[in-house]
Structures are given as C-alpha cells and as structure tokens.
Amino acid sequence: MFTGIIEEVGEVAAISRSGDSAVLTVRATRVVDDVVHGASIAVNGVCLTVVGWGEPTDGTVGLDFDVMGETLARSVIGGLAVGDRVNLERAVRADARLDGHVVQGHVDGTGTVVSRTPGDAWEAVRFSVPPELARFLAEKGSVAVDGVSLTVSGVGPDWFEVGLIPETLRATTLGGRQPGDAVNLEADVLAKYVARLMETK
C-alpha cells in the first residue's frame, strides 16, 4: 500500500530481459535507508519487490527488482531505458500519515500526455485515458499518474486533467513529461469496487 507521495526520483541503471520477464535495477539514495529483501517499492506507480541490491556507489545504491511479463505488458516499465528517471516510494507505514490517497501500485493501464498549459504558479496537464478506465475518473476524485497522487480537475470522454503545483513539478518526473509521453495510470480503488458492485448487483 502506498500514498502517492513520491519520496525521491531514482535513475534506471540497468534492465536485463530474459524471455517475457526482466530484472530492473534502479539507483536510489533515500528509499534504500531501511531496505530489506522482499520490500515493496513503487516504481513509477508499479509495486515491485526488492530482490537484491549492490554496494553503495557515489552515494547511491542499485536496487534490483524482478519484473514479470504482465507488468511489462500493462505498464510503461517495459519501455524504460538506462538513464530514465523514475518516481520512487516505499510502502506506507501503519503509524504514518496518509497524505495522498490509497494507492495499491497495481497499474490499471497507460495513458499519454496530451497537453501542458502553464499557469501563474502551477501547470494544467491533460492526459488521454483508455475508455475502460475513464469511467473510474471523476472531477475532484483521485488518480495516480506514474505513482503520483493527484486530484482530477476536469474529465472528458477520453481524457482527464490535473493541476500540478511547483513542488510536484520539482519533486517528481511529471515536471519533465511532454506531450506524447506514456504514463502509468491507477484509478482510485474505491471507484473500482463501487463499479464492480454495481455490475454484479
């Protein structure tokens, strides 16, 4: 379980493919403080399990994650390359504040950046959304984009919009995303459960 409040931006050090799976290595500084084998870390919003790590180099540690074919197919993890920056968040502690919203790290699909509109001290960013996910989005509702907890400011039949404050632009990879870039999307888990209940009523 995560909050969508990004702790740091890491860098892809390696991605080694083998058949329909891969081992992803991400260099980080902060999320490695209390790392243990089997720990859950959200990488661009995808919950991955730490399977190993290397010795510190230049103040960073390379964390290794096994990535299965399902994750490579359903998220933008499969398109990562060495040098790419990724949002990182450790699993939430039971004794900590839940500052964002409940994020599972179970990506529902991907979208793309459609447009960016600068404001005085913030920026409106529009994303495309697949039809099967659009029904879970509502104005003033929550969504996770590349693992970042955001509030939906507008919705359309195949898009949604969010407002990014300077801190989000600075502290996450969303500040550098450009039109056409792919992003991971996770809808609010409550919306998914309500929709499922209505379908089976």
Side-chain angles (χ1 to χ4, degrees):
M1 196 69 69
F2 305 92
T3 67
I5 304 299
I6 302 307
E7 294 186 80
E8 71 170 302
V9 175
E11 182 177 312
V12 175
I15 183 161
S16 304
R17 296 181 178 273
S18 177
D20 68 348
S21 64
V23 175
L24 174 68
T25 303
V26 176
R27 299 202 68 76
T29 57
R30 185 171 180 188
V31 300
V32 300
D33 287 347
D34 57 357
V35 70
V36 295
H37 187 86
S40 294
I41 295 180
V43 179
N44 272 3
V46 179
C47 179
L48 297 178
T49 301
V50 175
V51 296
W53 57 89
E55 292 296 318
T57 305
D58 298 327
T60 66
V61 174
L63 296 173
D64 296 328
F65 305 93
D66 284 333
V67 185
M68 61 182 175
E70 174 78 0
T71 303
L72 294 172
R74 292 180 62 106
S75 74
V76 299
I77 294 291
L80 291 175
V82 172
D84 284 349
R85 290 161 40 90
V86 290
N87 295 319
L88 300 174
E89 180 192 357
R90 288 172 288 188
V92 67
R93 293 171 51 108
D95 62 347
R97 291 185 178 90
L98 183 62
D99 291 321
H101 73 282
V102 175
V103 177
Q104 294 181 296
H106 303 163
V107 170
D108 295 306
T110 62
T112 58
V113 179
V114 174
S115 64
R116 303 184 69 110
T117 306
D120 290 336
W122 59 285
E123 193 166 342
V125 183
R126 182 170 291 191
F127 299 91
S128 67
V129 61
E132 63 272 18
L133 295 185
R135 65 192 183 115
F136 299 126
L137 299 175
E139 190 171 340
K140 306 306 178 190
S142 297
V143 65
V145 178
D146 274 353
V148 182
S149 174
L150 299 170
T151 301
V152 177
S153 59
V155 293
D158 59 357
W159 59 268
F160 70 94
E161 201 165 84
V162 299
L164 301 182
I165 61 173
E167 176 65 11
T168 305
L169 294 168
R170 180 197 66 77
T172 76
T173 60
L174 296 183
R177 293 282 186 253
Q178 298 301 316
D181 286 351
V183 293
N184 290 321
L185 301 175
E186 181 185 335
D188 189 340
V189 66
L190 297 178
K192 291 186 280 189
Y193 277 120
V194 169
R196 181 61 178 155
L197 286 169
M198 295 301 290
E199 290 169 357
T200 58
K201 184 176 178 182

